[in-house]
Amino acid sequence: MTLVEFFRAAPVAPDILAPSLWLIIALPLLGAFICGVFGKMMGRANVQLVACAAVAGSFVLSLLAFWATSHHNPETGRLAAIFPNPFGIERDFVRYALAYDYGTWFSVGDFRVNFGLMVDHLSGILLLIITGVGFLIHLYSTSYMEHDAAYWRFFAYLNLFVAAMLTLVLADNLILLFVGWEGVGMASYLLIGFWYDDPAKAWAGRKAFVTNRIGDFAFLVGTFLLVLLVSAFTQQSNAADFNNAGTTAQHYTAALEKKGPVTFKGLEKMAEGLVKGSADKVDLSTPIEAGPLDGYTFGGVMTAAMLLFLLGAAGKSAQLPLYVWLPDAMAGPTPVSALIHAATMVTAGVYLFSRMSALLVLSPTAMATIAIIGALTSLLAALIAFAQDDIKKVLAYSTVSQLGIMFMGVGMGIFWAAVFHLMTHAFFKACLFLGAGSVMHGNGDETDIKKLGGLRKEMPWTWATFLVATLAITGIIPLSGFFSKDAILHGVHHNHLQGLEWVSSLVYYLGLLIAASTAFYMTRVYLLTFEGPRSKEARVAHAHESAWQMTLPLVVLAVLSVVAARYAFGIDFFNMTAQPVLDNFLGPVFSTTKRITDASTLVALDTSRPQLVPDYLKAWAVALAGGGAAAFLYLRYFPSRVGLPDPAFIRAVRPLALNKFYVDELYELIVIRPVKFMSFLLFRVVDALVIDTVAVRGTAWVTARVGSALRYVQSGDAQAYAAVMAIALLGGMAYALIQVMQ
């Protein structure tokens, strides 16, 4: 039986498994509840068992769901993982996917959102990464956090994080995805600031929370724009527009009433309808005729929405200008860093744009912006990583840089390669972070790479796995990072955006520079940590290897960093024209995107595969150049100059990189201080003076003075009251007499 035939026969049929998709989220959510509420009473071993079992159970269900997306009926041989597209005509089916709608979540007027879950090849890959790598991190944490008093709270937060990310990936609409989006933001705040008794660590958690709220607000505004865009499309479109989308007005509007306007399948249909045809009424240049967007074109609103989603993704996936929270996320325990950086939160932006690729390819402006932002972020982070001496800080800026590469792929339309790099990065970056934690664990929590050295013989398992992961991220054949990174660079070089053809060349050459920089700083980290003599400033004279609970995940992740290239890319140097396995596997997910790009001239996508000569050789040469430069400097040049001052160039540039090019200080000057000053003015002038003094205290003062005057007429003396009444009666009679006489 071949591997293809094996996966065509799932243990559980899609129609049986689909109603139980909610259990994938429910298991870690239940684990978080049990560990958080009863953890203190259960004891350390039981908390670890519950937390790990919850994620392991979710992994098994995710594996079954992923398997079921390729299931074929054994009797007929036909694909069984198929369901009717609610926004299409009767024979419009979604293939290689299973979904279940649990009914209305909430509705407000005509706006409706259902609790619907869907697993296809894209979300299936993310499910396996989140739960698989997440389980390895949970297992690693059982040893790493064994002496922490708040272990029960830590595992509750880890389970909550996994549950939120699974919600994000499984959602079949933007609103439910946003729930997971907010959930991972909250869980990251809790985990980064886990040791909240340390003010610096608590501040890092707050920084991550506030920075992500900026992006989340942009996400919401972008979602509202799409709701208005769907409404305008349904009102202005004619039959030809819906025919372009492969549906009819009746089917589409009926599905909107049943599923709501922000369901991904409905948004894809609208995107197809906006492609210009011969007899249709609405395309990207058509002005919107009514509503809040009156006068704006469909294409302009689409671009604005995608740019708002870019700002939202920049928060979660740490891109310019909102990347500053991720390096400070190192304040949390090392397993938290591995979970955030590798398997969960930071991948949310890449997943979002991959899921909404059909909308994104309608806006070359937004795509170019995403690609350029990704390239600039990646280059800036790589340059900052050059001078960092904290091993976790280097890996943190490495994550920012690698995410920038993924955004380059998304922005230039090479979506499958961006997902490929997301997957390989999850393996080798988790291995690197957990390896850094193992180094710290065996060296008295030392993080300064200049105070380590010589760990190759003392920590053989950590050394071997860290070396494999370093070679993978550096881009050395035949490890996975080489193929995923080169697939992005090849696509970036050959894809073109209408009117913005120069972007592909700019981003490509920046990508080559980034690849060389990555090889340099990662080689530097490896050499200073594991090679050479033991530092005289080391905290402990001799390091010790970590327990099996920590080394086993390292070995598994190192193996995955190698084999992912074979089974996801399909390495065959003798057949360089064959379609990559993952490109073919994700074909059904991006089928709508392909139809849109084929029918329009907005984006020209190249489907060729990198060639051994010159593509692979050029990429390998770039990686070797960067790594070789680092090896020369840190094995020969600097050791030979011990006691001598560094060259003037290094003395001038190093402080800039070491201080992160003063970006945090710049934000402090142009954003934080003005906001604080405005807050101070609003507090002192509006709140304290106008509201408290004039409005609240002023009305109280007037009421008190009036009451003080009126209290004299309420003396309680009945004779005085009678006299006043008599005087008033006489006054009334006199007034009446005068009126009669007049």
Side-chain angles (χ1 to χ4, degrees):
M1 177 183 292
T2 65
L3 188 62
V4 173
E5 293 173 342
F6 178 75
F7 278 107
R8 286 165 60 98
V12 183
D15 56 337
I16 299 175
L17 187 61
S20 302
L21 290 177
W22 65 276
L23 286 172
I24 297 176
I25 303 171
L27 285 178
L29 197 60
L30 179 62
F33 175 78
I34 294 174
C35 294
V37 176
F38 306 107
K40 271 191 173 181
M41 298 177 287
M42 292 168 54
R44 191 181 301 273
N46 288 327
V47 166
Q48 295 171 354
L49 177 63
V50 169
C52 292
V55 180
S58 187
F59 171 74
V60 172
L61 290 174
S62 299
L63 181 61
L64 291 175
F66 177 77
W67 201 340
T69 58
S70 300
H71 181 68
H72 285 66
N73 190 310
E75 297 179 357
T76 62
R78 294 183 177 179
L79 179 68
I82 187 171
F83 64 89
N85 188 341
F87 291 87
I89 56 178
E90 287 83 353
R91 300 187 62 80
D92 185 0
F93 293 98
V94 180
R95 298 166 58 82
Y96 296 99
L98 56 151
Y100 197 82
D101 192 330
Y102 297 91
T104 304
W105 178 18
F106 68 88
S107 60
V108 181
D110 295 334
F111 184 76
R112 176 191 181 110
V113 177
N114 286 14
F115 190 90
L117 304 179
M118 181 182 71
V119 178
D120 57 10
H121 286 172
L122 174 61
S123 55
I125 290 173
L126 268 292
L127 288 178
L128 294 182
I129 292 173
I130 295 165
T131 56
V133 178
F135 171 75
L136 294 175
I137 294 172
H138 276 69
L139 177 61
Y140 180 97
S141 301
T142 59
S143 177
Y144 190 88
M145 300 294 290
E146 62 182 347
H147 300 302
D148 197 287
Y151 62 91
W152 54 273
R153 183 162 54 89
F154 177 80
F155 281 102
Y157 292 167
L158 280 188
N159 271 197
L160 180 63
F161 204 130
V162 172
M165 192 64 194
L166 291 172
T167 303
L168 188 157
V169 169
L170 281 169
D172 75 345
N173 62 79
L174 271 174
I175 301 299
L176 185 56
L177 184 149
F178 186 70
V179 173
W181 190 273
E182 288 294 282
V184 294
M186 179 188 68
S188 68
Y189 161 73
L190 296 172
L191 285 168
I192 294 169
F194 177 74
W195 289 314
Y196 57 84
D197 51 348
D198 184 334
K201 293 177 171 57
W203 170 251
R206 293 197 298 272
K207 183 178 181 180
F209 188 82
V210 172
T211 305
N212 274 275
R213 296 293 73 72
I214 299 171
D216 296 348
F217 178 74
F219 185 108
L220 279 178
V221 177
T223 302
F224 298 152
L225 285 182
L226 286 184
V227 172
L228 295 173
L229 203 63
V230 170
S231 176
F233 177 75
T234 55
Q235 293 174 14
Q236 293 183 222
S237 300
N238 62 9
D241 288 301
F242 288 104
N243 185 55
N244 291 342
T247 186
T248 64
Q250 293 78 11
H251 283 90
Y252 190 78
T253 54
L256 285 180
E257 295 176 0
K258 183 180 179 182
K259 299 280 290 182
V262 290
T263 305
F264 292 124
K265 291 302 174 185
L267 293 174
E268 288 179 1
K269 288 294 183 184
M270 180 190 69
E272 285 191 272
L274 288 175
V275 177
K276 188 174 183 179
S278 57
D280 58 5
K281 183 180 178 183
V282 174
D283 56 42
L284 295 174
S285 62
T286 304
I288 297 174
E289 298 174 353
L293 303 178
D294 183 19
Y296 295 96
T297 64
F298 281 87
V301 175
M302 182 68 73
T303 298
M306 292 299 104
L307 292 176
L308 285 166
F309 282 118
L310 170 60
L311 184 57
K316 282 291 179 289
S317 295
Q319 300 295 290
L320 283 170
L322 301 179
Y323 77 93
V324 291
W325 68 270
L326 191 58
D328 290 330
M330 298 303 96
T334 300
V336 172
S337 303
L339 191 63
I340 292 177
H341 285 248
T344 55
M345 182 172 174
V346 296
T347 63
V350 180
Y351 172 78
L352 174 68
F353 279 123
S354 297
R355 178 59 69 195
M356 300 177 66
S357 59
L359 301 176
L360 184 60
V361 294
L362 293 176
S363 175
T365 301
M367 293 181 70
T369 305
I370 293 171
I372 293 172
I373 289 291
L376 294 178
T377 304
S378 183
L379 181 60
L380 177 66
L383 294 177
I384 293 175
F386 271 30
Q388 300 302 310
D389 294 329
D390 187 310
I391 187 171
K392 291 176 65 177
K393 281 289 182 70
V394 176
L395 297 180
Y397 281 107
S398 170
T399 298
V400 177
S401 184
Q402 296 302 306
L403 288 169
I405 294 175
M406 297 177 210
F407 270 70
M408 289 162 53
V410 167
M412 293 306 298
I414 186 76
F415 297 103
W416 75 268
V419 175
F420 185 23
H421 198 55
L422 183 157
M423 178 178 66
T424 60
H425 178 264
F427 299 147
F428 57 67
K429 184 51 63 69
C431 186
L432 287 169
F433 264 112
L434 297 183
S438 180
V439 168
M440 293 167 57
H441 192 70
N443 289 271
D445 287 331
E446 181 62 75
T447 61
D448 191 337
I449 56 178
K450 291 185 176 179
K451 298 179 181 179
L452 294 170
L455 298 181
R456 178 175 181 176
K457 295 180 179 179
E458 297 180 346
M459 305 182 71
W461 287 102
T462 303
W463 160 74
T465 54
F466 199 95
L467 175 60
V468 170
T470 300
L471 294 176
I473 192 175
T474 297
I476 299 299
I477 292 177
L479 280 77
S480 59
F482 171 85
F483 294 98
S484 60
K485 191 183 301 182
D486 195 57
I488 290 178
L489 293 177
H490 179 79
V492 163
H493 194 201
H494 291 82
N495 292 353
H496 299 287
L497 307 176
Q498 185 185 60
L500 298 164
E501 288 76 8
W502 56 270
V503 173
S504 59
S505 296
L506 171 66
V507 174
Y508 173 70
Y509 289 110
L510 285 177
L512 293 180
L513 179 59
I514 293 162
S517 301
T518 302
F520 182 91
Y521 67 72
M522 286 306 305
T523 302
R524 172 179 178 265
V525 167
Y526 167 76
L527 293 175
L528 292 180
T529 304
F530 293 96
E531 301 295 341
R534 183 76 167 159
S535 173
K536 297 178 181 179
E537 302 178 55
R539 291 188 183 182
V540 295
H542 297 283
H544 64 83
E545 186 61 274
S546 302
W548 71 268
Q549 294 94 330
M550 296 174 66
T551 55
L552 178 61
L554 293 176
V555 173
V556 174
L557 290 168
V559 171
L560 290 173
S561 299
V562 177
V563 301
R566 174 66 182 89
Y567 292 105
F569 196 72
I571 304 171
D572 185 359
F573 289 110
F574 299 101
N575 184 13
M576 304 303 292
T577 61
Q579 185 184 28
V581 174
L582 194 63
D583 186 12
N584 178 271
F585 188 71
L586 292 174
V589 178
F590 299 122
S591 59
T592 302
T593 305
K594 187 176 186 305
R595 287 197 297 270
I596 292 174
T597 55
D598 289 344
S600 69
T601 58
L602 298 174
V603 182
L605 299 182
D606 180 84
T607 58
S608 65
R609 182 172 173 177
Q611 299 298 303
L612 178 60
V613 180
D615 298 314
Y616 282 144
L617 293 182
K618 183 191 299 183
W620 200 22
V622 168
L624 290 177
F632 170 75
L633 288 176
Y634 291 95
L635 293 180
R636 293 288 185 89
Y637 183 75
F638 288 126
S640 67
R641 295 177 58 86
V642 175
L644 299 176
D646 291 331
F649 172 75
I650 295 178
R651 293 199 305 272
V653 174
R654 178 176 167 77
L656 289 174
L658 187 61
N659 291 284
K660 302 165 288 187
F661 292 99
Y662 300 98
V663 173
D664 285 291
E665 289 77 8
L666 180 64
Y667 283 5
E668 175 80 21
L669 179 64
I670 67 174
V671 178
I672 299 175
R673 288 186 181 179
V675 169
K676 283 185 175 180
F677 180 70
M678 287 300 300
S679 301
F680 176 79
L681 288 181
L682 291 173
F683 167 66
R684 287 299 183 189
V685 177
V686 178
D687 195 30
L689 179 61
V690 177
I691 297 177
D692 287 348
T693 303
V694 177
V696 178
R697 294 177 185 174
T699 55
W701 183 85
V702 171
T703 303
R705 298 289 79 78
V706 172
S708 298
L710 292 177
R711 67 187 176 88
Y712 291 107
V713 302
Q714 300 216 9
S715 62
D717 188 348
Q719 292 179 343
Y721 293 166
V724 171
M725 293 172 65
I727 293 172
L729 182 60
L730 288 174
M733 292 174 62
Y735 176 76
L737 181 61
I738 293 171
Q739 293 295 323
V740 170
M741 291 178 65
Q742 288 179 348

